[in-house]
Amino acid sequence: RARKRWLVTLPAMGLLRQWEDHKLIFGIYMVGFLDLFAVGIILPLMPKHLESLGASQTLIGFHGSLYGILQLVSSPIVVRTYCSYNRLFPLLNGTLSVCVIM
């Protein structure tokens, strides 16, 4: 009877081992999802808010494209920084700058 219990727990042990191996990847996917989720909530609501503040249609369109433009310009710089320095410095720099902005 004890042998059956051991056989039942073997798949659970495999799942736990897989979970330990993929914790970092899961964390990265969660950060990416939360980032895109936050952008997906804010960007569609921003034009109506800017319109209520009296912004022109040109300014609203510029503001909507600003996120993509900034990402296009900053991505190569950030990747080059990550590759040339220790990865801890750019991560701490980004975290601290977000804390200062908030």
Side-chain angles (χ1 to χ4, degrees), residues 32-102:
F33 171 75
L34 290 175
D35 177 40
L36 291 175
F37 185 70
V39 169
I41 288 175
I42 293 172
L43 280 181
L45 298 175
M46 194 58 78
K48 191 163 281 285
H49 177 67
L50 290 174
E51 191 176 306
S52 71
L53 293 175
S56 67
Q57 294 295 320
T58 306
L59 185 63
I60 292 172
F62 177 73
H63 186 271
S65 63
L66 190 62
Y67 176 77
I69 292 169
L70 287 175
Q71 201 164 23
L72 180 71
V73 171
S74 67
S75 290
I77 297 168
V78 170
V79 169
R80 190 175 305 139
T81 305
Y82 276 157
C83 291
S84 62
Y85 293 107
N86 185 3
R87 297 192 195 287
L88 183 63
F89 175 71
L91 286 172
L92 285 176
N93 188 18
T95 304
L96 290 175
S97 56
V98 167
C99 289
V100 168
I101 291 171
M102 297 279 231

